[in-house]
Amino acid sequence: MQALYPLIILLPLFGSALIGLTGFMGPGFRKNERLIGILATSAVAIPFLLLVTAFASFDGTPIRIELFNWMKAGDLEVNFFYQLDQLSLLMGMIVTGVGSLIHAYSIGYMHGDSGYYKFFAYLNLFIFAMNNLILGDNMVVMFLGWEGVGLCSYLLIGFWFQDMAKAKAAQKAFIANRIGDFALIIAMFLIFREIGSLTFSDIVAADFGDNAYWIALLVFIAATGKSAQIPLFVWLPDAMAGPTPVSALIHAATMVTSGIYLISRIHPVFLATPEVMTIVVIVAAATALMAAFIAIAQNDIKGVLAYSTVSQLGFMFMALGAGAFTTAIFHVMTHAFFKACLFLGSGSVIHAMEHMHTVKDPQDIRTMGGLGKYMPSTSRTFWISTLAIAGIPIFSGFFSKDEILSSLFFNGYERPLYFAVWGVAVFTAALTAFYMTRVTFLTFNGQERFPQEKHPHESPSVMTIPLWVLAILATIGGFVGIPALLGHPLHIPHGLNDAWLAAEGGIGSTGLITNRASMVEAMHHHHSMEYFLLPFSALLAIGMVYFAFQFYKKHDLAGDERVQRFFGPLYNAMKGKFYIDEIYNALIIRPFVWAGTNIVLWFDQKVVDGFVNGTAAVVTNVGDVFKRLQSGLLSNYILLVAVGVVLILTYLIFG
Amino acid sequence: MEAFAFSVESLGASAAYMMPLLVLLLTGLVLMLLDAFGIRRSLAWVAAVGLVISAVWAWSQSDPTSRIVFFGMMETGGIAPIVHVFITMSGIFSLFFVHDYLKRQERMVSDVYALLVFSVLGMILMANANDLIITFIGLETMSMCLYIFASLFKTEVASNEAGLKYFLLGSFASAFLLFGISIVYGMTGYTNLSMLAEPESLARLTDNLPLFYVAAGLLLIGFLFKVAAFPFHNWTPDVYEGTPTPLAGFMATGSKLAAFVALGVVMKRLDFIAYDKVVTILALSALFTMIYGNIVAARQTNLKRMLAYSSIAHSGYVLLGLCAADIGFKSIIFYMFIYTLMNIGAFGMVGMVESKHTDTDMESWRGLGLKAPYFAGGLAIFLFSLAGIPPLAGFMSKYQVFISAIREDLIFLATVGILTSVIGAYYYIRVIVLMFFNSQGKEPSFNLSFARLPMAGIVILVALILLFGIFPSLILAPIEAAFGGGVSLTALP
């Protein structure tokens, strides 16, 4: 079986190349949607099955996949080596598992699109890049994947690039990510300068001293780009311009969690710098809260989900900031299930609304309502995922969210700041329950606000089956998601987490197994609190969902007006997304463009071009002089030869 | 018969080693006879078969230890087989283009095939000689054939002019070379390179240093003329312009490879590197050749003349490699082989467009990329490779030469080489821009005939350029093996 593991990396690449090139060359192949869909899906499903077998036979020693030497230059040696350990196995199964479901879903969703083959070629390429990112055993291969997913994200957001707004959204995503990538490159330079290696096993074992601060900070900046945190989160809501399966796969379940993966992977560097951990937790709390506020006031179904994703990513970063790396990855997993389900559900809704051809904006929840009657599967799975993200007990989101909350809370005994963050997180969780219930209710329940001459239809089973699979996972993922292998008890989590303040050795360098003795001790110390926290967050979620449900049942769409009155002037700010795009535009983009068009352009035209043109002029003039020597007259040539001979011999004899 | 201070293979063994050369001789004679009897249909194929047999035979004799054969006159083993193969390949690849070119020019001159084979023979004799007399005979054999190539179209003024210029200046250069040889002989009593390399002979040479310098200078002048180095380059553009284009490609590659190897062997045996003054002359010539060739090439409007000047520039890079002692010698063999592939390709493609009624002015190529994208794409690959753009082989060959020079502390020369190759990139890429990006709505008026044979040649050459660009060790390893030691090119940083 081991011999087949390279296919985990290679199959998606082959799939992408095969579909892309054949589609490019042969228009006949392009029309064969079923073949393309099956090829693309199996190029992801087979790696998933391989990862599952690897997981089943995993005994704690990392499995190595050594392909070949990439480059060797001086001290730097980079290999295409991959490592399957606790962390990468779990991430790999999420990526390929959710990935194959979304591939299958896309077969139905993209039906009839003129760029069908291109879509699947990009999607396969994305999986290849993502596998490099999470399975690579060194930072260079990881970075290849990091850039690769950025490229695929760009290509897929701008998939319908004839629409200028969508093309611009793609550029925005790419540029925002580039800022983060730049920080990551500098972090890699720093690491290489300090320890002369970029292999993860060397990085986690190294002591960076004072440089740990800068490395951790730069890696975190990179993570804010890819994982949409303040200040670089602005691209993610716009990224919803891409086809909905892309939003589900890339901008909810997988790519946006790379920042969390990377920080968990090199967590000892972060554990060495409490300052950066503080920055992480504050930024994360601010992001989560801000995004939750914005989500309340949005009417675009995908917009709500996008801000909800930003908010949930904030939760994961809060866990990282509390040193609870295991918990963060746990939430990555449960979030992948319910958020992918929500996005695919929204895709199903948009699909249905588009096919009615009667509404102007198929994504606006104000033109929906009561869809549950016509789309039972979509409605039910959407509700299940909503309950999961809201944190209702039994559903997966409850466990992971509760772990995050308690990890914050218990850190508060050492550093009171974490009590405040815990408070923000609890408040945000309540907001989450509210806005998710709102969007789900307004879409599927209540009055039918769409034009009545036609009614929407449920999507085909190729789309609803993935929805049901994800919904089931969103329900039970909390129980079986993290088996004992990962150091988790199989049943109800105790809010176990890794106190980074007390951690000694921390997560094992090869994975997630934690030295949690000190944490368990802290928990025993505050035993009674644990019994209080668990029911508290459960009751809060249940109460909020119930309240929101009753509220919108009573008022329907008019409920938004009451919400507006409740928040007062704040509501306009929420609706306007806190004007962050406008602020960036005024403070950064416009000055930048001004400097570009005035200062840099002048420098480019006068200094750079002047230098280049000057060189060219010298070459031209000298060339003309030389050209005159080439008269074509034999006697002149012989003269030149004679002069050359005389000069050479004179130098040799007398020189 | 004098006693040699080194072991010489018996006549029987010598004959075996000479077989690849005899095959060439025989092929040339057969071609002449066939021509004489009027059987002219498949001369190119006969020539090709002869060249291939000779190359394969020579390759089968490759052996890291070099041997002196034929009464001390020739060298086999060591680098000899690989040089033999490379020179023969220059001839083989030219054959892909010659026939079609002559047909399009409506001048079916059937002598070319025999001449081509004979000139290959001359080149190999010159390169693998172990006696200055053989070097000279090889050089003259080669040159005679090339003079005829230059004046192949007897009724055309340009062709006659080219031939005459080449002949006069070439004899001039031969005289210098011969003069240098005679001084060496006068000082030591030997023309045999192995004998000259003995400490006793070297001591005799340095006894009278000024005279030695005159001899060295004259030898250098003779070779510098053959490789078209500054200040003995000025015949090149006129001659290449008058020569049938595919044969000009052959001239610029095979003959230069042979001359460079011969110069390298002479330099090594007579230990020129040890004399700063000689190296200075070589370095100055390299410096000015690189600058002159590139700058003037940048001002050309005729594609063929541009390629002629660029071939001067490439000679400059190779001279730079020659200044870099042993490791440089290895690198220039690699360089010349790669240069052979891309330059024959470029000249061959220019020849395919040329016909009796069209010129090779760059303007008439404007927009070719839109009319014939694959054809223009092929030419673009040759030009990109000549400019030294990775991942094409032209990049690897330049890299090897420059890195060898840097290793031998020729930092200034290497810097000039790199800077002038930027100028090179300008004029090569300008053609690509003209063809693809700057059509100004024009399309070339001439008809392109895509005969099968030259197209096959282009495909093979493009494939090889890509292959050796990505896996240079396919060529570097045999060169290393042939040198049998010393600092390895592949081990360079």
Side-chain angles (χ1 to χ4, degrees):
Chain A
M1 215 56 192
Q2 286 257 8
L4 290 177
Y5 287 166
L7 289 179
I8 296 169
I9 316 288
L10 296 175
L11 263 188
L13 179 65
F14 291 155
S16 171
L18 181 73
I19 294 168
L21 292 178
T22 326
F24 183 69
M25 308 275 196
F29 177 78
R30 268 180 240 172
K31 291 196 199 86
N32 201 340
E33 287 190 0
R34 178 181 289 212
L35 178 65
I36 294 174
I38 291 170
L39 275 176
T41 309
S42 42
V44 185
I46 294 170
F48 172 68
L49 295 177
L50 286 168
L51 281 164
V52 170
T53 45
F55 182 75
S57 61
F58 188 68
D59 60 359
T61 43
I63 302 164
R64 311 265 306 157
I65 305 172
E66 305 196 341
L67 293 186
F68 56 91
N69 179 283
W70 184 6
M71 53 179 134
K72 198 168 185 257
D75 293 338
L76 177 70
E77 190 177 352
V78 181
N79 295 308
F80 269 107
F81 287 179
Y82 301 88
Q83 178 163 313
L84 302 179
D85 53 32
Q86 288 92 333
L87 179 56
S88 55
L89 266 175
L90 182 64
M91 288 296 290
M93 285 194 297
I94 297 171
V95 168
T96 52
V98 176
S100 31
L101 286 174
I102 292 174
H103 271 72
Y105 175 94
S106 307
I107 296 174
Y109 190 85
M110 295 304 288
H111 170 70
D113 193 285
S114 59
Y116 195 86
Y117 80 98
K118 238 191 288 177
F119 182 83
F120 281 98
Y122 292 162
L123 224 50
N124 266 201
L125 187 65
F126 168 79
I127 298 284
F128 167 71
M130 197 66 206
N131 277 349
N132 272 286
L133 200 165
I134 53 181
L135 303 181
D137 94 322
N138 59 70
M139 269 191 109
V140 185
V141 172
M142 189 280 301
F143 189 69
L144 174 80
W146 186 276
E147 292 292 297
V149 292
L151 168 73
C152 294
S153 163
Y154 166 78
L155 291 171
L156 286 163
I157 295 169
F159 187 72
W160 292 308
F161 54 83
Q162 292 90 341
D163 182 341
M164 195 60 199
K166 290 174 177 172
K168 278 194 170 160
Q171 287 179 4
K172 188 173 175 183
F174 200 73
I175 292 167
N177 269 298
R178 291 302 306 165
I179 299 170
D181 298 349
F182 181 65
L184 186 56
I185 292 175
I186 298 177
M188 284 165 67
F189 290 166
L190 262 178
I191 292 171
F192 188 72
R193 192 189 70 178
E194 290 301 309
I195 63 170
S197 164
L198 286 166
T199 313
F200 283 124
S201 52
D202 293 335
I203 295 171
V204 293
D207 177 14
F208 290 99
D210 291 342
N211 278 310
Y213 175 79
W214 289 107
I215 293 168
L217 188 65
L218 287 165
V219 169
F220 177 60
I221 291 172
T224 62
K226 193 85 28 198
S227 297
Q229 298 295 295
I230 291 174
L232 294 177
F233 73 98
V234 287
W235 65 271
L236 186 60
D238 289 27
M240 298 303 138
T244 305
V246 171
S247 312
L249 177 63
I250 301 183
H251 305 119
T254 55
M255 184 189 86
V256 288
T257 61
S258 339
I260 293 132
Y261 162 78
L262 178 58
I263 291 177
S264 307
R265 181 53 95 190
I266 58 165
H267 67 276
V269 184
F270 280 79
L271 287 173
T273 58
E275 301 92 335
V276 177
M277 293 295 265
T278 313
I279 296 172
V280 171
V281 86
I282 292 173
V283 168
T287 310
L289 183 64
M290 177 207 65
F293 268 125
I294 296 176
I296 292 175
Q298 300 304 310
N299 289 322
D300 182 313
I301 186 170
K302 281 179 79 181
V304 176
L305 294 179
Y307 280 104
S308 144
T309 305
V310 175
S311 180
Q312 292 298 311
L313 291 166
F315 271 96
M316 297 169 203
F317 275 96
M318 279 192 262
L320 295 177
F325 303 103
T326 329
T327 309
I329 297 294
F330 184 31
H331 198 58
V332 165
M333 184 189 77
T334 56
H335 178 255
F337 297 150
F338 56 68
K339 190 50 71 62
C341 185
L342 286 169
F343 265 114
L344 294 186
S346 78
S348 177
V349 168
I350 295 165
H351 202 65
M353 297 302 284
E354 269 174 353
H355 278 254
M356 283 163 56
H357 298 295
T358 45
V359 286
K360 211 170 100 221
D361 182 358
Q363 306 196 10
D364 194 331
I365 53 174
R366 285 171 298 187
T367 61
M368 299 175 186
L371 293 181
K373 202 166 84 193
Y374 308 104
M375 310 179 71
S377 290
T378 309
S379 165
R380 280 177 202 145
T381 53
F382 208 96
W383 267 113
I384 291 171
S385 302
T386 300
L387 299 180
I389 191 174
I392 303 293
I394 317 281
F395 295 99
S396 60
F398 165 72
F399 299 114
S400 52
K401 188 176 285 183
D402 182 67
E403 272 202 40
I404 294 173
L405 293 178
S406 50
S407 70
L408 291 166
F409 188 85
F410 286 109
N411 273 308
Y413 289 105
E414 296 284 335
R415 304 186 64 184
L417 170 74
Y418 283 79
F419 281 136
V421 174
W422 174 79
V424 173
V426 169
F427 182 60
T428 310
L431 289 180
T432 309
F434 181 82
Y435 70 72
M436 280 312 300
T437 311
R438 167 183 174 263
V439 71
T440 314
F441 187 92
L442 289 180
T443 305
F444 295 104
N445 302 59
Q447 284 174 2
E448 296 177 7
R449 291 183 295 277
F450 50 87
Q452 289 296 317
E453 60 265 33
K454 280 185 190 173
H455 67 83
H457 291 284
E458 180 62 287
S459 300
S461 55
V462 72
M463 287 164 73
T464 51
I465 291 171
L467 283 176
W468 274 111
V469 175
L470 285 167
I472 292 165
L473 287 170
T475 312
I476 61 170
F479 293 109
V480 299
I482 306 271
L485 175 70
L486 303 171
H488 258 276
L490 196 56
H491 298 295
I492 300 190
H494 303 91
L496 269 182
N497 52 54
D498 323 310
W500 57 273
L501 289 169
E504 181 193 335
I507 303 177
S509 62
T510 53
L512 283 167
I513 295 173
T514 315
N515 171 7
R516 54 184 76 232
S518 50
M519 195 59 233
V520 174
E521 194 187 322
M523 303 241 330
H524 284 293
H525 202 248
H526 308 286
H527 214 265
S528 51
M529 281 314 293
E530 174 65 8
Y531 288 117
F532 165 70
L533 284 177
L534 198 66
F536 173 72
S537 68
L539 282 174
L540 187 73
I542 295 169
M544 208 61 198
V545 171
Y546 180 77
F547 166 71
F549 190 87
Q550 292 302 330
F551 179 75
Y552 279 98
K553 195 175 174 189
K554 191 170 163 200
H555 302 292
D556 212 75
L557 197 58
D560 279 354
E561 285 160 26
R562 285 167 177 265
V563 175
Q564 182 170 8
R565 242 175 289 146
F566 175 78
F567 282 107
L570 181 63
Y571 191 83
N572 285 332
M574 283 151 58
K575 200 160 179 72
K577 301 156 188 175
F578 293 110
Y579 311 113
I580 289 175
D581 276 332
E582 288 76 6
I583 294 168
Y584 281 4
N585 200 17
L587 288 184
I588 300 169
I589 297 169
R590 256 187 268 149
F592 195 79
V593 172
W594 181 88
T597 46
N598 292 289
I599 301 167
V600 181
L601 194 68
W602 173 85
F603 185 81
D604 187 55
Q605 285 180 343
K606 302 290 172 191
V607 181
V608 177
D609 285 1
F611 180 72
V612 172
N613 292 338
T615 316
V618 169
V619 170
T620 313
N621 292 331
V622 175
D624 284 341
V625 172
F626 279 149
K627 226 172 135 181
R628 232 165 283 152
L629 288 177
Q630 198 75 30
S631 60
L633 293 176
L634 192 58
S635 49
N636 285 2
Y637 291 180
I638 292 177
L639 183 66
L640 191 67
V641 170
V643 171
V645 171
V646 169
L647 282 179
I648 288 175
L649 292 183
T650 313
Y651 170 78
L652 284 174
I653 300 169
F654 304 107
Chain B
M1 138 128 253
E2 61 186 307
F4 287 108
F6 48 88
S7 68
V8 176
E9 301 288 325
S10 69
L11 190 56
S14 299
Y17 283 117
M18 287 300 102
M19 285 315 285
L21 285 175
L22 291 177
V23 167
L24 288 177
L25 185 65
L26 196 69
T27 310
L29 292 174
V30 167
L31 283 166
M32 284 176 78
L33 282 174
L34 287 175
D35 190 19
F37 286 105
I39 309 164
R40 288 174 189 149
R41 290 201 56 187
S42 40
L43 291 181
W45 289 105
V46 175
V49 168
L51 288 169
V52 169
I53 291 176
S54 168
V56 172
W57 204 330
W59 184 245
S60 72
Q61 293 173 349
S62 52
D63 179 2
T65 47
S66 100
R67 292 163 205 275
I68 307 301
V69 294
F70 235 80
F71 311 110
M73 290 294 174
M74 292 292 290
E75 195 180 351
T76 68
I79 62 165
I82 207 161
V83 168
H84 186 121
V85 171
F86 286 174
I87 291 175
T88 329
M89 281 173 90
S90 168
I92 294 168
F93 285 124
S94 304
L95 278 175
F96 277 105
F97 302 99
V98 171
H99 179 76
D100 182 57
Y101 180 84
L102 294 176
K103 204 160 109 187
R104 287 163 58 81
Q105 294 284 337
E106 296 158 33
R107 289 171 217 268
M108 295 306 292
V109 189
S110 47
D111 312 329
V112 278
Y113 304 108
L115 288 169
L116 189 110
V117 173
F118 282 132
S119 67
V120 167
L121 178 64
M123 290 169 192
I124 296 168
L125 275 180
M126 165 161 80
N128 293 343
N130 191 45
D131 194 299
L132 287 171
I133 297 297
I134 299 291
T135 311
F136 184 74
I137 289 172
L139 183 133
E140 283 302 293
T141 311
M142 168 190 95
S143 298
M144 286 305 160
C145 301
L146 298 188
Y147 299 151
I148 300 172
F149 283 163
S151 50
L152 199 65
F153 299 156
K154 283 174 278 202
T155 51
E156 256 183 42
V157 181
S159 188
N160 278 312
E161 185 191 332
L164 197 61
K165 269 185 190 163
Y166 194 17
F167 176 68
L168 282 174
L169 288 165
S171 3
F172 214 44
S174 298
F176 284 117
L177 188 70
L178 207 51
F179 197 12
I181 294 173
S182 61
I183 295 176
V184 170
Y185 179 71
M187 291 174 81
T188 58
Y190 296 117
T191 54
N192 188 295
L193 285 166
S194 300
M195 293 306 289
L196 284 167
E198 295 291 317
E200 200 186 326
S201 322
L202 289 177
R204 262 189 246 166
L205 279 174
T206 43
D207 273 349
N208 189 346
L209 213 47
L211 193 58
F212 168 73
Y213 279 138
V214 171
L218 290 171
L219 286 172
L220 275 185
I221 290 165
F223 283 116
L224 289 181
F225 179 88
K226 282 293 160 197
V227 300
F230 189 90
F232 311 110
H233 60 274
N234 44 23
W235 56 273
T236 325
D238 295 359
V239 169
Y240 286 6
E241 204 183 1
T243 308
T245 314
L247 293 172
F250 173 65
M251 265 185 199
T253 54
S255 77
K256 279 195 189 179
L257 172 56
F260 273 122
V261 173
L263 175 57
V265 169
V266 170
M267 279 178 63
K268 202 172 165 179
R269 294 299 167 85
L270 298 183
D271 205 15
F272 278 2
I273 291 289
Y275 303 93
D276 283 348
K277 277 182 169 181
V278 181
V279 176
T280 308
I281 292 294
L282 208 57
L284 282 175
S285 176
L287 184 72
F288 285 113
T289 310
M290 290 188 290
I291 295 174
Y292 177 87
N294 278 308
I295 286 182
V296 182
R299 292 295 296 152
Q300 297 304 313
T301 51
N302 181 312
L303 205 53
K304 216 167 151 185
R305 280 185 87 86
M306 186 273 272
L307 284 175
Y309 280 105
S310 96
S311 90
I312 297 178
H314 283 277
S315 287
Y317 303 135
V318 180
L319 282 176
L320 167 63
L322 269 181
C323 298
D326 279 357
I327 185 155
F329 194 20
K330 284 180 195 176
S331 73
I332 66 162
I333 292 178
F334 179 66
Y335 190 99
M336 281 310 297
F337 174 65
I338 301 297
Y339 179 67
T340 301
L341 299 180
M342 54 201 189
N343 208 38
I344 287 184
F347 270 102
M349 291 194 85
V350 172
M352 284 172 75
V353 173
E354 224 179 313
S355 75
K356 215 176 172 185
H357 315 291
T358 53
D359 50 19
T360 51
D361 196 84
M362 276 183 207
E363 270 307 308
S364 52
W365 288 61
R366 203 182 268 285
L368 184 71
L370 307 176
K371 184 171 178 172
Y374 290 102
F375 183 84
L379 183 58
I381 288 189
F382 292 128
L383 292 174
F384 272 131
S385 183
L386 283 165
I389 310 277
L392 302 170
F395 165 75
M396 282 319 296
S397 57
K398 271 211 177 78
Y399 169 79
Q400 293 294 353
V401 165
F402 290 150
I403 203 80
S404 313
I406 289 167
R407 220 190 130 79
E408 293 293 318
D409 279 333
L410 301 168
I411 309 286
F412 175 72
L413 277 181
T415 313
V416 173
I418 291 164
L419 286 179
T420 50
S421 54
V422 175
I423 303 178
Y426 160 72
Y427 57 76
Y428 291 124
I429 291 173
R430 188 171 57 153
V431 179
I432 297 170
V433 170
L434 267 180
M435 291 193 302
F436 285 97
F437 302 111
N438 205 356
S439 70
Q440 296 177 352
K442 286 182 195 165
E443 269 204 0
S445 52
F446 46 80
N447 285 324
L448 290 163
S449 87
F450 300 128
R452 228 172 282 153
L453 196 59
M455 289 309 273
I458 289 164
V459 170
I460 293 171
L461 288 169
V462 165
L464 290 178
I465 284 172
L466 280 167
L467 182 71
F468 297 143
I470 298 166
F471 304 106
S473 52
L474 290 177
I475 296 299
L476 286 173
I479 294 176
E480 284 300 333
F483 273 87
V487 184
S488 164
L489 280 174
T490 41
L492 289 177

